[in-house]
Amino acid sequence: MIFHADRSTGPLVLRIAGLLAACATLAACATTSSTTSSTTSTTTAATTSRSTATPSGADATAESNASKTPSARAIRPVETFDTVWTTVRDSHFDKTLNGVDWVAVREELRGKAVSVETQDELRAILLEMLGRLGQSHFTIIPGDLAEQSPTIDSPREQVRAPEASAATASDIATTGADGVKVTSAPAGGSGPGVCGIDITMVDGEPTVLRVHEGLPGATTGIQPGWTVVAVGSMRVADQLQPLREALAREEQQSPSSPHARQLRTELAIAASALSAPAGATIPVTFGTPDGERTIEVAFVPAPYGAQEFGNLPPMPVEVESRVVELPTDGKPIRIGVISFNIWFTGASPAIDKAVDEFRSCDGIVIDLRGNPGGVGVMSTGVAGHFLSEPASLGSMIGRDNTLQFNAMPRKVSTAGKRVRPYARPLAILVDARSASTSEVFAGGLQDIGRARVFGETSAGMALPAHAIELPNGDVLMHAVADFVTGKGTRLEGRGVIPDEVALPSREALLAGSDAALDAATRWIGDRTLAARAAKAGAAPVEAVNVPTSVPPPANP
């Protein structure tokens, strides 16, 4: 993700950077002919980058300062600037640095870095420099966010389960025809919390898209279609205004520019950012059809814990799965819907189990809306559930090598039984917040014809990245490879383009209709009835007789 931060938008953009940077780990998790250990790769990459990226002007005091707390760290602007500049010069996957005169950029901005007095001023200059590349996954993570995770010297992958962890993959509860439902974790956990509310930009306003059953958002009566007016005393419109103004300025000059595209993505992600530690309760003011309403929203431990990767901030892991039934003139059509918020290994057991539960369904929907990415190798593992033959989701093209994302058919269930990969219709939902590994998965399966994609064009941020600690204590996220699908489609700056565009509207959400999910289930319904007719030797069915919106799951 690129963050073009002028001084008016810098602090907000930095908060967004902390969220997305945790998902830019593709390079550490690449596959060749066999799967590489993500932890080992990250350690090697981080250690190597740290030892080679420091410019000749840096001295040994960088090491002593790196061990201090963020508040004790000196700004060290020149050394930090030089480290960022040199790292990009030496490790960028394109030796031309995307056509940017990198020496000229250094000459223009280094003098500004010399005179800064605060960390925020330095970060703004660094972000401006990285923004000149016009590519995603070049950003700065503030040191206080990075300090929540292991140090760069010994990065490791951790899964922190909730206290008294009764919510594991084996605790998914089956609710008959209404499908599979994730059991909520017990109260009293620690780390980042979840409230079960998915917020996206609809008609220019932050709007509730989905409310996950069993989590606080649902139990307090929050409904899709409600807008988010304020969080505590903070008016959301005020917080988004700098990004809106920056986007308006850019759209006046060049509405189709990479900068405009990035600002639209930043706005979509900023609008969806509602987070707090587990155990916290925050008053949120919603705009409802009956006027504004303030609700105390509680945050609980994520059902599958919080996961840390390397020196990146911890992220909660959520997986929701259910079966919806579409009535027809004959046998109902059953469709499994699986959604998860991040590609971290803590979600893998629940995803695998849900696929096993849905093997008898007429189709499966993978909902990746709002999923910013994560561990890249997971995309090949999940894809294997739906492939009868080996296939490539794409290639990571580095400066000196190319790594393949090869997916192999998965023929053993979570119970250890032999199974056939799922061969019925597969639909994938994406939106402007779907990035990185989500794009690898959706774009790769779309490109080989295994899945049909619904929703809106994804973020177009598919570059794999590494992270290194800087002399001032912040962390540099920098892309180290390009990515193309198996058929050569470059996703960076383009995104995954849906086969069928289906945009949400507030009116439809308030009426209980989810445009992307409705379109996907109609497609699966059409395919299912056509297959049934062909099997029975009857005339093909042109369209499935289903309601315009998917029925919500019944209460267990």
Side-chain angles (χ1 to χ4, degrees), residues 10 54 89-90 97 205 244 298-299 304 311 361 379 385 389 393 413 427 433 445 466 473 476 478 483 489 497 539:
T54 305
R89 180 197 65 184
D90 294 344
L97 277 72
E205 297 297 331
R244 292 186 192 275
F299 289 78
Y304 296 93
N311 65 323
C361 287
S379 63
H385 284 300
E389 300 291 339
L393 298 184
S413 71
R433 301 169 297 155
L445 290 179
H466 285 172
L476 166 67
H478 62 105
F483 182 85
T489 303
I497 300 174

Side-chain angles (χ1 to χ4, degrees), residues 2-14 17 120-132 138-140 243 246 249 259 263 266:
I2 304 169
F3 298 94
H4 299 267
D6 57 33
R7 294 177 188 270
S8 64
T9 64
L12 175 61
V13 170
L14 287 171
D120 282 344
E121 290 177 335
L122 176 59
R123 289 167 186 154
I125 293 172
L126 297 177
L127 288 168
E128 181 179 354
M129 176 169 63
L130 295 172
R132 300 291 178 86
F138 287 92
T139 194
I140 303 296
L243 275 174
R249 290 194 299 268
H259 189 184
L263 286 170
E266 290 171 22

Side-chain angles (χ1 to χ4, degrees), residues 434-488:
S434 306
S436 283
T437 306
S438 292
E439 295 181 288
V440 170
F441 179 82
L445 290 179
Q446 179 192 50
D447 219 25
I448 62 177
R450 179 58 189 95
R452 186 170 177 84
V453 178
F454 299 83
E456 56 185 307
T457 302
S458 65
M461 302 186 302
L463 301 182
H466 285 172
I468 65 167
E469 189 177 5
L470 298 171
N472 73 332
D474 286 351
V475 171
L476 166 67
M477 180 68 68
H478 62 105
V480 294
D482 201 356
F483 182 85
V484 296
T485 66
K487 291 188 176 180

Side-chain angles (χ1 to χ4, degrees), residues 125-253:
I125 293 172
L126 297 177
L127 288 168
E128 181 179 354
M129 176 169 63
L130 295 172
R132 300 291 178 86
L133 294 168
Q135 295 169 316
S136 70
H137 291 94
F138 287 92
T139 194
I140 303 296
I141 309 172
D144 55 350
L145 290 177
E147 283 297 316
Q148 299 176 32
S149 306
T151 66
I152 195 69
D153 288 324
S154 57
R156 63 192 183 274
E157 187 179 18
Q158 298 179 338
V159 178
R160 181 172 59 243
E163 292 181 8
S165 181
T168 64
S170 61
D171 292 319
I172 299 177
T174 302
T175 58
D178 295 311
V180 180
K181 191 165 154 49
V182 173
T183 303
S184 296
S190 59
V194 296
C195 62
I197 306 170
D198 182 24
I199 301 168
T200 190
M201 193 68 77
V202 177
D203 301 331
E205 297 297 331
T207 304
V208 177
L209 176 67
R210 296 171 294 186
V211 181
H212 297 290
E213 294 295 318
L215 291 175
T219 59
T220 53
I222 297 169
Q223 298 295 318
W226 289 10
T227 59
V228 181
V229 178
V231 179
S233 60
M234 181 195 74
R235 305 291 290 187
V236 174
D238 295 339
Q239 290 294 304
L240 296 181
Q241 190 60 29
L243 275 174
R244 292 186 192 275
E245 292 174 353
L247 176 58
R249 290 194 299 268
E250 185 64 23
E251 287 183 331
Q252 286 181 349
Q253 300 177 6

Side-chain angles (χ1 to χ4, degrees), residues 347-398:
S348 292
I351 297 170
D352 296 342
K353 186 173 177 64
V355 173
D356 284 342
E357 294 282 348
F358 297 158
R359 290 190 184 278
S360 63
C361 287
D362 297 297
I364 290 179
V365 176
I366 305 292
D367 191 345
L368 298 178
R369 291 175 295 178
N371 187 322
V375 178
V377 74
M378 272 188 67
S379 63
T380 62
V382 177
H385 284 300
F386 308 101
L387 298 172
S388 58
E389 300 291 339
S392 172
L393 298 184
S395 305
M396 286 186 358
I397 304 172

